[in-house]
Amino acid sequence: MKVLLYFEKEKALRQSGIGRALRHQKQALESNGIDYTLDPKDSFDIAHINTNFFKSYRLLKKCKKQGKKVIVHGHSTFEDFRKSFRCWKLIEPIFDHLIIRMYRNADAIITPTEYSKHLIENYKGVTCPVYSLSNGINLTDYAYSGKKVKQFRNYFKLKSNDKVVIGVGLFFERKGILDFFEVARNMPDVKFIWFGHLDKIMTQSKILRAIKKRPANVIMPGYIDGDIIKGAFSNANLVFFPTLEETEGIVVLEALASKTPVLVRDIPVFDSWLKDGINCLKAKDNDGFIKKINHAIYNDLNSIKESGYKTVKEREITLVGKKLIDIYKTVLEN
């Protein structure tokens, strides 16, 4: 079996969760000895399309004409496009149309959680099987490294007694960046670092204004990959992810894999696999976030860290790869 992993506009999206998901797919197949290609002109048995743009749809139709099976990855939903890019309300009807025509014509859809599976199954006209499968995580990549921690602390010139909370994401209102700023404003003795970037032309005006007026204890280094951010995940007192809507949230997997407590907004996507006080912390609003951050900074959360790690081990990339191959085989046989 040879798989086409197709990703349109890869360079533009590589900093997003979708971009990281493609890397995880490649790792999942490699770890299980499955041949794949990124070139649609190459030979392959099944297409796994990760994007919903015009070339993606043309490829889907071409594969169908050739009698090849097509899996579309449900990274996106109607719900998680809202409160994202500049002028998202104007773009939303086009975006929804692009998504639904891909989903309606797929032989199968893979999406990261039971929550997003339920959403997609209830979109009008979607009749193919929808599989829930985590994006997965390479646990080795996020194992503790003193060298990486040192790089992180040196990069930000952190003192030994600094309390550090990190957030990761594009400059989307949906990602909770406005609440991140507001919580930081109420906790001036804690350093808050937001890793991420989005071109100004794509960023909502309210977000640009908020960034300019952000509190002095919020550091925004832009997009940083590699050892520095992995050191941040390992060394931070807390990973704060106040997102309003997700299909999974790779940031959460990265935090759990780093054995660092993660604080998330109490929203439906996390209901089935994250439990407040067991493997994570949850809150519904900024007052709750502030209380939970103080609790995380000044209390021992080892049991939560260990439970979180057990949760993410179930989403280890090799295990995800085995399940992915099973889905491929099922789709091919049907």
Side-chain angles (χ1 to χ4, degrees):
M1 175 170 55
K2 186 174 181 179
V3 181
L4 167 66
L5 295 178
Y6 185 74
F7 195 101
E8 190 177 345
K9 303 183 187 297
E10 182 178 354
K11 288 183 179 179
L13 295 172
R14 75 179 185 88
Q15 296 179 9
S16 68
I18 299 174
R20 299 210 294 286
L22 177 67
R23 296 200 294 273
H24 292 176
Q25 287 170 21
K26 292 192 285 187
Q27 290 175 353
L29 296 183
E30 288 165 4
S31 66
N32 285 278
I34 297 299
D35 194 15
Y36 69 87
T37 180
L38 304 179
D39 183 1
K41 295 179 182 177
D42 202 349
S43 62
F44 57 89
D45 301 299
I46 187 168
H48 185 165
I49 301 177
N50 281 272
T51 43
N52 303 303
F53 306 120
F54 298 103
K55 289 182 180 178
S56 302
Y57 183 66
R58 286 205 301 269
L59 175 62
L60 181 151
K61 298 299 284 184
K62 181 180 179 181
C63 289
K64 300 286 277 188
K65 285 182 180 178
Q66 293 174 344
K68 292 180 178 178
K69 298 288 187 178
V70 178
I71 293 174
V72 172
H73 210 104
H75 295 295
S76 301
T77 62
F78 299 159
E79 290 76 7
D80 77 356
F81 183 72
R82 296 166 188 160
K83 298 184 179 181
S84 53
F85 300 99
R86 184 190 292 268
C87 302
W88 68 268
K89 289 183 179 180
L90 295 176
I91 303 168
E92 186 178 24
I94 299 169
F95 182 81
D96 289 357
H97 170 72
L98 294 175
I99 285 181
I100 202 65
R101 73 174 182 176
M102 291 294 293
Y103 291 171
R104 285 175 178 172
N105 286 281
D107 291 298
I109 298 167
I110 297 174
T111 192
T113 55
E114 287 295 321
Y115 169 74
S116 54
K117 177 178 184 287
H118 174 74
L119 291 179
I120 292 170
E121 284 178 332
N122 284 279
Y123 292 165
K124 187 176 180 180
V126 174
T127 58
C128 68
V130 183
Y131 298 93
S132 169
L133 180 65
S134 171
N135 287 307
I137 189 80
N138 187 334
L139 296 179
T140 305
D141 284 349
Y142 292 88
Y144 183 87
S145 164
K147 179 183 176 183
K148 293 175 184 177
V149 167
K150 187 176 181 180
Q151 284 182 266
F152 160 64
R153 296 193 70 85
N154 287 344
Y155 187 89
F156 289 99
K157 297 179 174 60
L158 297 174
K159 299 174 184 176
S160 59
N161 62 342
D162 282 338
K163 304 301 183 185
V164 180
V165 171
I166 69 167
V168 182
L170 299 175
F171 296 163
F172 289 169
E173 183 180 359
R174 172 177 68 81
K175 290 292 184 180
I177 191 170
L178 297 179
D179 286 337
F180 190 89
F181 292 159
E182 193 57 34
V183 168
R185 188 171 281 111
N186 284 275
M187 305 185 75
D189 295 331
V190 178
K191 290 188 186 300
F192 286 75
I193 305 175
W194 182 282
F195 292 93
H197 174 73
L198 188 65
D199 288 341
K200 284 186 177 181
I201 196 169
M202 301 172 71
T203 305
Q204 290 177 283
S205 298
K206 67 165 76 172
I207 303 298
L208 293 175
R209 288 194 297 270
I211 289 171
K212 284 184 178 180
K213 296 179 180 179
R214 69 185 186 274
N217 59 326
V218 174
I219 303 167
M220 302 190 74
Y223 176 77
I224 294 181
D225 200 3
D227 289 352
I228 291 174
I229 194 167
K230 286 172 183 172
F233 271 112
S234 292
N235 190 244
N237 295 93
L238 182 81
V239 176
F240 179 27
F241 192 53
T243 182
L244 296 156
E245 181 69 31
E246 291 292 323
T247 54
E248 182 176 39
I250 290 178
V251 172
V252 176
L253 302 184
E254 292 169 328
L256 299 178
S258 303
K259 293 189 176 182
T260 298
V262 59
L263 169 61
V264 298
R265 192 182 299 273
D266 191 357
I267 55 176
V269 67
F270 300 129
D271 284 348
S272 65
W273 58 291
L274 294 179
K275 305 299 178 186
D276 183 34
I278 304 297
N279 56 4
C280 76
L281 298 174
K282 289 184 179 181
K284 294 181 181 294
D285 55 30
N286 289 348
D287 288 340
F289 290 143
I290 292 167
K291 289 177 183 176
K292 291 295 174 77
I293 292 172
N294 276 315
H295 177 70
I297 288 175
Y298 297 108
N299 289 275
D300 182 356
L301 299 185
N302 278 333
S303 63
I304 289 177
K305 295 176 188 178
E306 291 302 321
S307 294
Y309 192 72
K310 288 179 182 177
T311 298
V312 81
K313 279 180 72 175
E314 298 170 1
R315 292 158 175 79
E316 198 275 327
I317 203 72
T318 304
L319 298 177
V320 168
K322 293 182 188 302
K323 294 175 182 178
L324 183 59
I325 292 163
D326 287 341
I327 294 172
Y328 290 158
K329 288 178 179 177
T330 299
V331 173
L332 284 170
E333 289 169 2
N334 291 337

